[in-house]
Structure formats: C-alpha cells, structure tokens
Amino acid sequence: MRTSKPAPAAARVERADETVRRAETALLASVDRLGHLEKLDPLITGMRRRVRALPLGRYRDVLHGRPLGHPLHPVLVQVPTGSWLSAAVLDVVPGGGRHARLLVGLGVVSALPAALAGWVDWAEQHEEQGRVGLVHALANGAAIGLYTASWVARGRRRPVLGRALGLAGLGAVSLGGALGGHLAYRQAAGANKAEPVSHVMEPGWQTLGRMEEFPVGEAVRRLVGEVALLVVREAGGHINVLADRCSHDSGPLSQGTLADGCVTCPWHGSVFRLSDGWNVRGPATSPQPSFETRTAGDGTVEVRAPQAH
C-alpha cells in the first residue's frame, strides 16, 4: 500500500519550520557557550579588581540600586536606548537630522552612568554571569563609541556617515540588550535569590530544634523542609532566623561573619540585620526573609515564615 507524500507546499513549510528551530537552537547554544568561555577569566579577574577598587564609598550601594530595592542599571539604560532609537526614527524623517544629533548626544552622555552602574554590578557576579556580562559590556561600549563618532560626523556636516555610524551603534546596543536579557532572565543576574523561600516553606509552625542546640552568638544552619535557615541565638534567649541563602547570589550566610547584630555574606560582602533581615549594605538589593520564632515550655524552638499564617 502506498503512503501519501506531503504536498509540496506543506513540505516547504515543514522544512522552513525546521530551519527556524535549528537557528533558534544554535543562537541560544552560542550565547550559553559564552558563559563557559574560561579564556575570558584572566581578563575578568583584573577588571573586577579595578572596579572593586574604585573609591565610590557609600555611592557604590546607590549604583547597585539598594535604595530602590532592585538593580539601578536596567533603569538607567532606558535613557540612552530610548534616545538612540528615537534618533534612528528621526533619521528617516525629513528635517529631523538636527534633532537626531541632539538625541545621539543625550544617549552618549546618559550611557556613562548606566555603564558605571552595570560595571559595579558585574564585579559581584559569578563566573558564568561575568563572562556573558563582559561581552554585554563590550557590545554596549562599542555602541557608545559608534554613537560618539556619529555625533561628531553629524556636527561636521557629514550626515550620511553620521546615520551609518548611528545604525551600526543601534546594532551594537541591540546585541548588548539581548545579552542583558540573557543575563537577567536566563542567568538570573540581579534577581532576588531569596524571594521563593517563604513560598516553598510549609505553612504553620515548624520544629527548628531545641534551645540548647543553638549556642549564644553562633551561626547555626538548619534545614526545615526544603528551606535552609540561618539561626542565631541572642544572650537573652531570643532566636533570630533568616533564610540562609543570600538574596544577592545565594551565598551561605551561616558561613558568614556575625557582628553588631548583623551577618555578612562570605561571598560578596552583603550585610543583613539579624533582627529583621534588612540589607544594611549591598551588593544585595533585597532583604533576607526573616522568620517568626517561638519557644515551647519544653525548650523546643519553632519557626514559621511570615506569609505562612
């Protein structure tokens, strides 16, 4: 019995779909491979050292976005990106050249603080994020250079060259933006790593241990269900409990340093208040989940997440 062959049109559609799927897979695989490009590590190490050595003082936390509660860099990049995209639109509008040059210049100037905030965040990212982040930064740096050259060419009455440089800059910043999206959504750079904690913990009071299991002033790690907790007992008997994994990059706070009622993450130095989890110092931009505790008459300590009432 003969099997019917697909109609020519259907076969062409199927081949086209397969080509698209392969292209998508190849593109994603190539970006993922950036995160494993260990050849970049010597360059990254030196650059991180220089960024961390910048004398930014308390403004480092501002650049991280701690006062906002989330990274500042994605907010700042809206101005240069919007300016350059608007300039590209004006370039095809009759008489829009003068205003396009103004927007190109605005984009270049506003890109500088955005880049600084990005570098400060990048210096505290893990290896895979750092490799992709470096290429992201280089693409955006190329965009700044191309748009600076475009601004100069437009000022010298060379509009065709200025538009061409602007178009190349738009391509570079688009590549940088795509890699930034990969960093944020696939590699979770800048995301609050502790946000799911309260939602995966079982509701109600959970047994943490007995009071004598928690020495005064020492960090103790306990696992309640799937949630790792940092437990610190005060001299008066009060028990402070925070999520153990740091909101910045999942560092183990139970291995950190305790001082002045706070714990310092051993990985990147974020400081959290033990009493309520507030992030006193970055790079963490989100507080640590803080858990309620109570002690039964027999000395059993129980804990529950604030949302799990």
Side-chain angles (χ1 to χ4, degrees):
M1 182 177 180
R2 287 187 176 180
T3 56
S4 59
K5 295 183 179 180
R12 285 196 297 270
V13 171
E14 186 176 338
R15 286 196 297 270
D17 288 344
E18 180 62 23
T19 300
V20 170
R21 282 193 295 270
R22 288 181 179 178
E24 290 173 346
T25 301
L27 177 61
L28 184 55
S30 66
V31 178
D32 280 338
R33 279 195 293 270
L34 281 178
H36 302 284
L37 198 59
E38 296 181 1
K39 292 181 179 180
L40 296 175
D41 290 354
L43 176 61
I44 289 172
T45 299
M47 294 181 70
R48 276 184 171 159
R49 189 183 304 114
R50 292 181 180 88
V51 173
R52 288 171 177 170
L54 291 174
L56 298 173
R58 62 189 180 89
Y59 295 108
R60 187 176 297 273
D61 275 358
V62 175
L63 290 168
H64 280 308
R66 193 182 70 83
L68 286 178
H70 58 77
L72 179 62
H73 175 66
V75 178
L76 295 181
V77 299
Q78 305 305 310
V79 179
T81 303
S83 298
W84 290 335
L85 185 58
S86 299
V89 173
L90 288 179
D91 275 340
V92 299
V93 175
R98 181 170 61 88
H99 301 293
R101 183 174 188 255
L102 176 63
L103 287 170
V104 167
L106 175 62
V108 170
V109 172
S110 60
L112 300 179
L116 179 59
W119 281 112
V120 169
D121 284 343
W122 172 83
E124 309 302 336
Q125 292 172 352
H126 64 62
E127 289 83 356
E128 289 82 2
Q129 293 171 347
R131 294 162 190 155
V132 176
L134 178 61
V135 181
H136 162 74
L138 292 175
N140 288 334
I144 294 173
L146 288 164
Y147 273 112
T148 301
S150 173
W151 185 83
V152 171
R154 292 166 192 264
R156 293 178 176 174
R157 301 184 184 279
R158 302 181 67 184
V160 175
L161 177 59
R163 292 190 186 99
L165 289 167
L167 186 60
L170 187 60
V173 79
S174 297
L175 173 61
L179 292 174
H182 185 88
L183 273 165
Y185 298 110
R186 191 169 179 86
Q187 295 186 312
N192 177 8
K193 306 303 188 300
E195 195 280 334
V197 165
S198 300
H199 305 287
V200 299
M201 188 170 181
E202 291 292 327
W205 292 98
Q206 310 292 320
T207 299
L208 190 62
R210 295 189 59 79
M211 181 67 76
E212 59 266 25
E213 296 175 21
F214 308 110
V216 174
E218 294 185 19
V220 177
R221 185 180 186 272
R222 278 290 185 271
L223 197 64
V224 176
E226 299 180 358
V227 180
L229 301 176
L230 163 69
V231 185
V232 180
R233 177 184 172 188
E234 296 180 358
H238 179 72
I239 301 287
N240 294 309
V241 180
L242 304 180
D244 186 46
R245 290 298 178 180
C246 176
S247 64
H248 169 248
D249 200 22
S250 300
L253 296 185
S254 54
Q255 298 177 24
T257 303
L258 301 178
D260 301 322
C262 296
V263 58
T264 300
C265 178
W267 284 6
H268 300 104
S270 296
V271 178
F272 301 95
R273 200 159 53 206
L274 290 169
S275 60
D276 58 4
W278 184 252
N279 49 319
V280 177
R281 189 169 71 241
T285 59
S286 301
Q288 282 299 107
S290 177
F291 295 79
E292 298 179 67
T293 61
R294 70 181 183 185
T295 305
D298 63 355
T300 299
V301 180
E302 296 180 321
V303 63
R304 71 174 175 181
Q307 294 86 347
H309 292 182

